[in-house]
Amino acid sequence: VNDHIILKSDVDQRVAESLLQLQQQRQQQIDFNEGIWYSVLQNQVERYIMLDQARQDSIMVTDEQVNAQINQRINQFIAQVGSEAALERQLGKSIVQIRADLRESYREEMIVGQYRQLLMSDVTITRPEVEEYFRNIPADSLPEIPEQVAISQIVAIPPPLEDARKEARQFAE
């Protein structure tokens, strides 16, 4: 994407991070599928396009803003794992290395965020206007969205007790 290279390994890493984050949020196992992979790839492409456009429009963030964001994120990590030492052990890097690794990606993320905010600041549509728009569309031209239900079941089968086996055998006999 322009001068940016998107490596398959980068997309794979972001997919793994996304799956882990979704699993933590929903507290259930989420399996990998091709749709997730292509969605992450599309997000990367869009991010680099917006980053280049933001740089053309001279949108910049200061080192202080980036450092504040990184400090906040590292403090969240530390709160999750318990201590700086535990975080360093878990990631296999020192806090200084973690900060250095996060710096450029956070800078890009913040630039893209400011650019999105700039784009959205011109949007002046209200909820009633949206409702009116959809009321004016004929009902037969709107696609039907089928109902969806997600069902899960937790089954825990306890091991039978020796007494229960004897009673069942006696009853069967």
Side-chain angles (χ1 to χ4, degrees):
V1 179
N2 294 336
D3 293 335
H4 306 281
I5 297 171
I6 301 175
L7 300 174
K8 181 183 181 299
S9 59
D10 292 341
V11 176
D12 290 344
Q13 180 182 357
R14 288 197 185 266
V15 167
E17 291 169 0
S18 297
L19 287 175
L20 182 63
Q21 187 177 22
L22 283 171
Q23 288 172 2
Q24 288 175 347
Q25 288 174 352
R26 297 182 183 175
Q27 296 184 351
Q28 67 182 15
Q29 181 64 31
I30 297 178
D31 296 324
F32 170 82
N33 65 51
E34 225 174 64
I36 293 173
W37 195 90
Y38 282 109
S39 174
V40 169
L41 176 62
Q42 182 66 34
N43 288 342
Q44 283 290 100
V45 170
E46 290 172 2
R47 179 176 180 225
Y48 284 136
I49 290 171
M50 291 182 76
L51 182 63
D52 284 346
Q53 190 61 47
R55 286 193 173 142
Q56 285 178 358
D57 291 351
S58 300
I59 295 177
M60 302 300 288
V61 294
T62 65
D63 288 338
E64 291 80 24
Q65 291 172 312
V66 175
N67 289 335
Q69 193 75 8
I70 290 172
N71 289 338
Q72 180 181 1
R73 187 65 175 161
I74 287 177
N75 288 337
Q76 287 174 346
F77 287 149
I78 290 171
Q80 288 175 347
V81 297
S83 70
E84 280 187 26
L87 179 62
E88 289 175 341
R89 275 193 311 275
Q90 186 174 357
L91 297 179
K93 301 175 183 178
S94 70
I95 295 292
V96 174
Q97 289 172 316
I98 296 168
R99 287 181 199 281
D101 290 347
L102 293 176
R103 186 166 317 291
E104 192 57 34
S105 65
Y106 271 59
R107 180 179 306 283
E108 290 176 356
E109 191 175 303
M110 291 175 73
I111 289 171
V112 169
Q114 285 188 3
Y115 184 69
R116 277 192 181 127
Q117 192 174 23
L118 177 69
L119 292 176
M120 298 305 281
S121 67
D122 294 338
V123 176
T124 58
I125 193 161
T126 63
R127 182 178 180 91
E129 291 172 327
V130 172
E131 289 173 352
E132 180 64 27
Y133 172 80
F134 282 103
R135 270 197 296 271
N136 290 334
I137 297 176
D140 60 346
S141 66
L142 291 174
E144 284 190 33
I145 300 174
E147 292 182 20
Q148 295 180 349
V149 177
I151 298 176
S152 61
Q153 179 179 6
I154 298 174
V155 178
I157 301 173
L161 300 173
E162 192 58 40
D163 293 344
R165 284 182 184 226
K166 287 180 184 175
E167 286 180 24
R169 183 174 299 273
Q170 287 174 354
F171 181 74
E173 289 174 353

